[in-house]
Amino acid sequence: MKTFCGRANPATGALDWVEESEEYDYHQEIARSCYADMLHDHDRNEKYYQGIRAAVSRVKARGEKVIVLDIGTGTGLLSMMAVTAGADYCYAVEVFKPMADAAFRIVKKNGFSDKIKIINKHSTEVTVGLDGDMQTRANVLVTELFDTELIGEGALPSYEHAHLNLVQAGCEAVPHRATVYAQLVESEQLWSWAQLQPMEVDGRKLLPPPAVSHCAGAHSVCDIQLSQVPPHHFTPLGPLCTMFSVDFSKPVSSAPQSHSSSFPAQSSGRAQVVLSWWDIDMDPSGSIVCSMAPSWTYPDPQSAPWRDHWMQSVYFLPVERRVAEGEELSLTTTSMYKTVCSVCDFEAPPCRPCCVCQAHLVWTRTRFGELNDRQRTQSYVRALRSVIKPDSVCVGVSDGSLLPIFAHMLGAKKVLNANSMRGVQILGIRPDQLSSTDLAGEQISVLIGEPYFSTSLLPWHSLYFWYCRTALARLLTPNATILPCSATLCMVAVEFQDLWRIRAPCGTCEGFDVGPMDEMVQQSLDFRESHEAEPQPLWEYPCRALTQPRAVMTFDFLQCVPEQPIRCQGSLPFTRGRCHGVALWMEYQLNDDIKVSMGLTRPVSEEGACEWSLHRKQGVYFFRSPWESSGDGRASVSYSFTFEPSIGDIKMDFTVASQ
């Protein structure tokens, strides 16, 4: 059986469905999984181990045999902890077959096969009885079913079924309890991800359409590394509220529920955003706590544990509203596997956000932020002002771009684009389908693009603009302006503060050999993924530059896409540090004077500190193993890049060596 996988095609801007082998989907899932991140999370593992030891001891103190049900066992780590703590038997349930197979090998390798049974099923399909998957109900329930929203992975239905069918009444549970917290804040940075803001173009105010500005937006969570949003980027309007708790040792319901917390506004401002996170108590007394709080809540931020499998949640209110200091407010969460937040007074009921303008369905959060970036907007406006003339015929090539409306406001004679904007002719066709008839017999004098395309995953996928320019060559005037006129692929070797954990082999975890999982992940990476870069929003993941940034390839948009590949190679010497890989991004030259970077937004400091764009993801090529450099100039990273015009993609290879 073959698997069809969607892959962005930079040459056409479309999502192509490629036939892969039946193993591909598994390999893709494993290679990009966060299993390694979880195993490297010592705080999580240690707290689970402590909680499991305590639960096993409580059951033994009652004179009972300890039978453990471990739902979502993954590598089998928590089951092995339970047996080591004295459990008599463990039923470890894992629905993902490759992971269940790895767990079986790990359990066997560690000598626990006689005490742990791996069940490759969804927990709701597990049976109990003489001929069932479990011989008897468990009296200890161990689970790791959580995501950034706590209950977003469908945890509650699994708990509900387990209490009804798989565990004894009054069982011990690890974790025992979870508590969700939320705080109402004002934040210009975060709110810019929710709504299109008014902007100025050449002294004239451009307002978003009423359908967009009055839209409540999408209710989906925005999960980010909130530790990277410093406290001076938001203003708390209320205290940190305890919204609700769930006791996992008792039957739970998966039915929708609402929880409210009332408080007086602690300062005046604009209620815009709700920040949220949770913690879990591993024991009934609450003495073993694993917290998802961002680092700036800690007395010593450096002591905060880092994890990427659980982050923090940002919710955007349906409408921005003014609040006065001392005003009584009520913050409400409504959960049905997902959480929705609203703030209201005591007379107005909360409403569930629902996008009616379509913009929130097609633009990502960071795309809203990019369109609202005033400095970026001014760069494009200045570049357009230098080329737009009263007789200009402009064509815009980008998804959901405001550049055509800017060109119209700056006085262009005619503007065509695929976007619905007043004063701009809408084209519902691909660039290669555009004809002189669509231009009323005229030729294009200005071709503009950011470029941005919703199908782009990696930075260089926006080279689709180059292909559009090539397709439109027959309709361009001899001296047509192309904006941007060129693009440059840039790279820098980096040492990650924490992101390296998501790709690093674990070896042993809390004293258990999890090598079979490392082997499984590496096999999946070797299937294809280890030879490719992956997209990451590097502003969320601090890193230090170990080389100077370098422009490695330039693409001249004034010329058509060449028929032959473009190749380049070279090397960069390391400074002192531990190199985990290479960061890659694109920079666009709008004209002779104006450049826009989709990666580094400032020069690298002497210490190697990097500041990254908040709006675009960069490419990260992880080395199979980190490279230590003493900074003596003898170590360097060698690179080779090949741009393949036939597929619109860039192949790359890196090697690290000492002289």
Side-chain angles (χ1 to χ4, degrees):
M1 178 179 175
K2 297 292 184 180
T3 299
F4 286 91
C5 300
R7 296 180 70 86
N9 185 332
T12 64
L15 190 68
D16 290 348
W17 292 95
V18 180
E19 187 180 88
E20 302 281 4
S21 69
E22 61 183 356
E23 295 88 9
Y24 177 78
D25 206 28
Y26 278 172
H27 285 295
Q28 182 89 331
E29 180 76 16
I30 295 166
R32 292 291 177 253
S33 70
C34 58
Y35 293 122
D37 172 33
M38 288 189 285
L39 293 178
H40 283 292
D41 187 348
H42 176 67
D43 178 72
R44 162 195 176 271
N45 300 336
E46 182 181 45
K47 300 293 175 55
Y48 261 102
Y49 212 165
Q50 292 173 1
I52 289 170
R53 288 193 194 101
V56 170
S57 295
R58 289 194 297 274
V59 174
K60 282 186 170 295
R62 298 196 293 263
E64 302 175 20
K65 280 190 172 183
V66 181
I67 307 299
V68 176
L69 172 61
D70 175 9
I71 300 179
T73 193
T75 59
L77 176 66
L78 303 185
S79 288
M80 293 189 294
M81 288 179 176
V83 172
T84 303
D88 294 283
Y89 202 79
C90 290
Y91 296 100
V93 181
E94 175 56 51
V95 68
F96 187 42
K97 189 177 188 306
M99 200 67 243
D101 293 342
F104 180 85
R105 295 194 300 273
I106 290 170
V107 165
K108 182 178 181 180
K109 189 169 188 177
N110 286 274
F112 294 111
S113 295
D114 60 331
K115 291 290 189 75
I116 299 174
K117 179 181 179 181
I118 305 297
I119 302 172
N120 180 207
K121 287 184 177 182
H122 193 284
S123 65
T124 56
E125 299 173 347
V126 172
T127 58
V128 178
L130 293 178
D131 297 324
D133 302 303
M134 299 171 60
Q135 295 297 297
T136 183
R137 288 184 176 231
N139 51 17
V140 176
L141 175 60
V142 177
T143 56
E144 210 281 46
L145 300 171
F146 314 116
D147 69 358
T148 294
E149 291 188 278
L150 179 67
I151 56 176
E153 285 189 356
L156 291 184
S158 296
Y159 273 112
E160 187 175 42
H161 177 270
H163 277 287
L164 287 172
N165 302 281
L166 305 177
V167 298
Q168 301 173 16
C171 72
E172 300 288 343
V174 182
H176 178 84
R177 177 175 49 247
T179 304
V180 174
Y181 305 93
Q183 185 172 38
L184 179 67
V185 305
E186 174 183 351
S187 173
E188 182 177 356
Q189 175 188 330
L190 297 177
W191 186 245
S192 73
W193 297 350
Q195 297 288 355
L196 196 60
Q197 307 296 319
M199 57 191 72
E200 273 201 9
V201 178
D202 214 28
R204 298 162 60 190
K205 181 163 284 191
L206 176 62
L207 299 175
V212 176
S213 59
H214 297 159
C215 180
H219 67 263
S220 58
V221 67
C222 177
D223 53 341
I224 63 172
Q225 291 284 355
L226 201 53
S227 296
Q228 300 308 312
V229 180
H232 66 268
H233 281 194
F234 61 87
T235 302
L237 301 181
L240 183 64
C241 300
T242 301
M243 299 308 300
F244 64 90
S245 293
V246 182
D247 186 339
F248 297 121
S249 69
K250 299 176 181 178
V252 299
S253 172
S254 59
Q257 298 181 41
S258 292
H259 307 272
S260 296
S261 180
S262 301
F263 57 91
Q266 64 184 41
S267 62
S268 299
R270 295 171 297 165
Q272 298 170 325
V273 176
V274 175
L275 311 181
S276 180
W277 57 86
W278 49 269
D279 61 32
I280 44 180
D281 296 326
M282 296 298 184
D283 66 328
S285 68
S287 61
I288 309 170
V289 182
C290 186
S291 175
M292 305 310 121
S295 63
W296 37 258
T297 65
Y298 285 69
D300 175 15
Q302 298 301 317
S303 68
W306 183 88
R307 46 179 69 96
D308 205 47
H309 53 103
W310 296 328
M311 293 188 280
Q312 294 79 38
S313 301
V314 174
Y315 299 96
F316 303 94
L317 298 185
V319 292
E320 176 187 65
R321 58 160 290 185
R322 289 268 176 192
V323 299
E325 183 177 355
E327 181 181 352
E328 287 294 325
L329 301 173
S330 178
L331 187 63
T332 300
T333 63
T334 303
S335 63
M336 186 178 65
Y337 313 155
K338 295 288 181 184
T339 302
V340 177
C341 291
S342 61
V343 62
C344 60
D345 55 33
F346 292 106
E347 297 180 357
C351 59
R352 183 181 181 88
C354 179
C355 177
V356 295
C357 72
Q358 309 304 312
H360 298 88
L361 303 180
V362 297
W363 286 343
T364 64
R365 299 294 190 191
T366 51
R367 178 58 173 163
F368 271 98
E370 186 170 50
L371 294 173
N372 286 324
D373 186 329
R374 296 184 185 93
Q375 184 176 348
R376 174 184 177 276
T377 294
Q378 289 309 310
S379 294
Y380 280 100
V381 169
R382 283 191 290 115
L384 285 169
R385 189 186 294 118
S386 68
V387 299
I388 295 296
K389 298 178 176 60
D391 61 348
S392 293
V393 176
C394 301
V395 169
V397 179
S398 278
D399 290 348
S401 177
L402 300 180
L403 297 193
I405 199 71
F406 295 167
H408 171 71
M409 295 177 71
L410 291 170
K413 173 185 175 182
K414 179 182 291 187
V415 183
L416 299 92
N417 194 68
N419 299 319
S420 176
M421 298 176 182
R422 190 171 59 184
V424 179
Q425 185 177 340
I426 305 165
L427 298 175
I429 57 177
R430 299 192 310 270
D432 60 347
Q433 297 174 318
L434 187 67
S435 67
S436 59
T437 302
D438 298 307
L439 297 170
E442 297 186 277
Q443 288 188 298
I444 302 167
S445 59
V446 182
L447 180 65
I448 56 179
E450 300 183 32
Y452 170 85
F453 303 101
S454 58
T455 55
S456 297
L457 299 176
L458 290 161
W460 46 91
H461 288 172
S462 289
L463 288 175
Y464 174 54
F465 176 80
W466 201 9
Y467 289 84
C468 295
R469 176 260 182 269
T470 302
L472 294 171
R474 57 193 163 78
L475 300 175
L476 297 175
T477 62
N479 59 346
T481 296
I482 312 296
L483 190 156
C485 57
S486 66
T488 301
L489 176 66
C490 303
M491 65 165 277
V492 64
V494 295
E495 175 183 17
F496 285 110
Q497 180 175 302
D498 295 295
L499 188 63
W500 59 270
R501 303 173 197 270
I502 70 172
R503 295 290 167 260
C506 191
T508 60
C509 180
E510 306 303 319
F512 302 100
D513 186 344
V514 294
M517 192 216 67
D518 292 336
E519 295 167 6
M520 177 188 70
V521 171
Q522 191 56 57
Q523 287 172 3
S524 291
L525 284 168
D526 289 341
F527 187 78
R528 171 181 289 161
E529 301 297 327
S530 65
H531 307 294
E532 298 180 350
E534 60 184 82
Q536 295 287 351
L538 291 185
W539 74 269
E540 295 187 58
Y541 305 107
C543 63
R544 183 168 71 95
L546 299 183
T547 65
Q548 287 298 313
R550 175 169 292 185
V552 292
M553 297 188 87
T554 297
F555 308 93
D556 185 0
F557 294 163
L558 300 181
Q559 306 298 321
C560 291
V561 177
E563 295 182 0
Q564 299 302 315
I566 301 174
R567 296 183 173 88
C568 79
Q569 59 185 20
S571 64
L572 279 171
F574 282 133
T575 58
R576 182 187 300 273
R578 194 169 199 238
C579 186
H580 296 112
V582 172
L584 304 122
W585 68 98
M586 298 293 282
E587 294 181 352
Y588 295 100
Q589 197 73 41
L590 303 187
N591 59 23
D592 291 342
D593 304 315
I594 302 173
K595 180 169 63 177
V596 177
S597 174
M598 304 302 166
L600 288 174
T601 57
R602 290 185 181 180
V604 172
S605 72
E606 291 184 6
E607 296 77 22
C610 301
E611 187 171 309
W612 300 95
S613 168
L614 301 177
H615 312 313
R616 300 283 182 105
K617 291 183 178 181
Q618 293 72 45
V620 177
Y621 188 105
F622 285 100
F623 296 156
R624 180 164 294 192
S625 58
W627 184 269
E628 298 283 354
S629 171
S630 61
D632 57 7
R634 297 170 59 185
S636 63
V637 55
S638 298
Y639 58 83
S640 67
F641 293 89
T642 302
F643 170 68
E644 297 283 358
S646 60
I647 59 175
D649 211 352
I650 296 176
K651 302 301 180 183
M652 60 193 69
D653 189 40
F654 301 92
T655 57
V656 181
S658 293
Q659 297 177 353

